[in-house]
């Protein structure tokens, strides 16, 4: 839900499943999904920030992920309406 309350879900990672908890919030005009899980004994944290351009023609999704406290990269996906 969009109420900021944690929600449980299942992640499928490399042939196994792990429970994850996601929280959805707004940060200004950005839609932010924070997901945390513990595959095995490790901690995986992923934050996806969704941003729509003012004209509604471009959607950007920036993903920041850490695994056992180490950054795994932060790709940005860009979708353009044609």
């Amino acid at each position: 839900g969009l109420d900021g309350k944690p929600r449980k879900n299942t992640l499928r990672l490399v042939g196994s499943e792990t429970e994850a908890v996601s929280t959805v919030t707004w940060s200004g005009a950005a839609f932010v999904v924070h997901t945390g899980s513990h595959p095995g004994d490790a901690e995986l944290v992923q934050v996806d920030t969704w941003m729509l351009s003012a004209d509604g023609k471009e959607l950007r999704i920036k993903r920041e992920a850490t695994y056992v406290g180490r950054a795994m990269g932060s790709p940005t996906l860009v979708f353009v309406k044609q």
Side-chain angles (χ1 to χ4, degrees):
L2 298 176
D3 56 9
K5 293 181 183 175
R7 303 281 189 228
K8 291 183 182 180
N9 50 68
T10 302
L11 293 178
R12 288 171 182 77
L13 303 169
V14 193
S16 65
E17 294 184 350
T18 186
E19 184 178 280
V21 177
S22 296
T23 304
V24 177
T25 58
W26 287 96
S27 177
F31 180 74
V32 181
V33 181
H34 182 277
T35 303
S37 64
H38 291 86
D41 292 331
E43 180 183 45
L44 174 63
V45 176
Q46 180 174 300
V47 179
D48 293 327
T49 303
W50 296 54
M51 299 159 285
L52 187 62
S53 64
D55 63 6
K57 293 185 178 180
E58 183 178 278
L59 173 65
R60 289 180 176 261
I61 304 170
K62 181 176 183 183
R63 172 168 288 169
E64 297 174 312
T66 58
Y67 183 69
V68 193
R70 293 189 184 120
M72 294 177 54
S74 56
T76 298
L77 305 174
V78 180
F79 301 90
V80 179
K81 183 177 181 180
Q82 298 183 351

